[in-house]
Amino acid sequence: MGQGTPDMKTHAMASGLRITLTKTELQALLSLARSGADQLEAARHYSILPKRQEAVAPDIIQGLERGLASVQWKQAEAKARREQPKREAERRAAREHHARIDGYAVWAMLGDWTDISDDPDRRQWADMFHPDTSPREQGEIRRNVWRVFISKGSAALDDLLILSGDCTTTADRDEIEQLARRIIANHQE
């Protein structure tokens, strides 16, 4: 017989037997049932089962198949729930970028941005899909680019300095540093 400890649990009832199987035990039982049904079909004229039992064999196999599919679905759902925080952290990391450049904190967010400034010579970027965003007529729109924020100091020490940021022209992460350095250099002039 098998070498592992069986996890199968049985519970006798007045009209039958309730069985709890592990996924491995269910797969083994399903394979045995299919094999037995195939053998019965091949030796139909030498039937060893009463006709009534032979008639329920396909229903038993179908029930085991549904049970196995249900177990696999529940396992997939449980795995997805366990991995959801990790996937969300990976998605967030893919949409955010943090760096320090020349003492300035640089933070960038990947998204779709629109210019909401009333002054066409000054850009003011806002999240295009935020419910409170009202893009100006003929305002510039940049899709799948980095919105760069730059600050220095601390609000707690009253020396917080926030530079006017901008958006990159592509989704290339290297562009964040180039844009941030240009903004910092323009501020220091």
Side-chain angles (χ1 to χ4, degrees), residues 34-100:
R34 285 178 180 152
S35 175
D38 290 346
Q39 288 177 6
L40 279 176
E41 188 63 36
R44 206 161 235 328
H45 55 285
Y46 297 113
S47 182
I48 55 174
L49 288 178
K51 291 291 182 198
R52 184 173 176 202
Q53 291 176 359
E54 194 175 311
V56 298
D59 293 337
I60 292 171
I61 291 171
Q62 189 177 40
L64 292 172
E65 288 170 340
R66 278 194 311 267
L68 180 58
S70 180
V71 167
Q72 290 168 330
W73 177 256
K74 286 185 181 290
Q75 286 178 334
E77 282 181 320
K79 183 179 180 183
R81 275 193 308 275
R82 282 190 311 273
E83 292 178 354
Q84 196 276 332
K86 178 183 170 188
R87 283 192 315 273
E88 183 55 37
E90 288 169 351
R91 272 191 231 111
R92 192 172 33 257
R95 291 186 315 254
E96 294 180 4
H97 181 87
H98 301 271
R100 290 211 60 86

Side-chain angles (χ1 to χ4, degrees), residues 152-167:
K152 186 174 188 176
S154 166
L157 300 176
D158 293 331
D159 68 343
L160 179 63
L161 173 66
I162 299 175
L163 304 183
S164 58
D166 202 350
C167 283

Side-chain angles (χ1 to χ4, degrees), residues 135-167:
R136 68 178 172 86
E137 228 176 277
Q138 297 182 0
E140 186 177 353
I141 293 174
R142 292 191 185 169
R143 295 186 183 276
N144 196 35
V145 297
W146 294 96
R147 168 70 170 96
V148 178
F149 303 87
I150 303 170
S151 67
K152 186 174 188 176
S154 166
L157 300 176
D158 293 331
D159 68 343
L160 179 63
L161 173 66
I162 299 175
L163 304 183
S164 58
D166 202 350
C167 283

